[in-house]
Amino acid sequence: RDVEYCKDSYSTCSGSDALVLATEWNQFRALDLKRVQALLNQPVMIDLRNVYEPETMERLGFRYTAVGRRPRQRDSAD
């Protein structure tokens, strides 16, 4: 099987269609989200550990899914 190793968390984002966050390690809790967004082909994050707040991610322009959380209800003004 082919495995591609990357030098850091940002190089894994470069050219990817989405980011799947599967750990709550500190280095992934403190990502520069604007940088992540710029590196991804699309601003999509699937958070399997509920590290980030859905409202924050939405405000930053991500399509964000957090496993085990209810989807955020949009106000009629949204």
Side-chain angles (χ1 to χ4, degrees), residues 4-46:
E4 183 177 340
Y5 293 94
C6 298
K7 76 175 197 173
D8 60 32
S9 53
Y10 298 105
S11 61
T12 64
C13 297
S14 184
S16 296
D17 292 324
L19 174 63
V20 177
L21 187 59
T23 181
E24 69 274 4
W25 291 354
N26 286 336
Q27 63 264 40
F28 298 105
R29 289 182 174 276
L31 291 172
D32 177 343
L33 296 172
K34 288 292 188 184
R35 183 175 175 190
V36 168
Q37 188 177 46
L39 291 168
L40 291 170
N41 289 338
Q42 303 174 66
V44 176
M45 183 186 288
I46 297 95

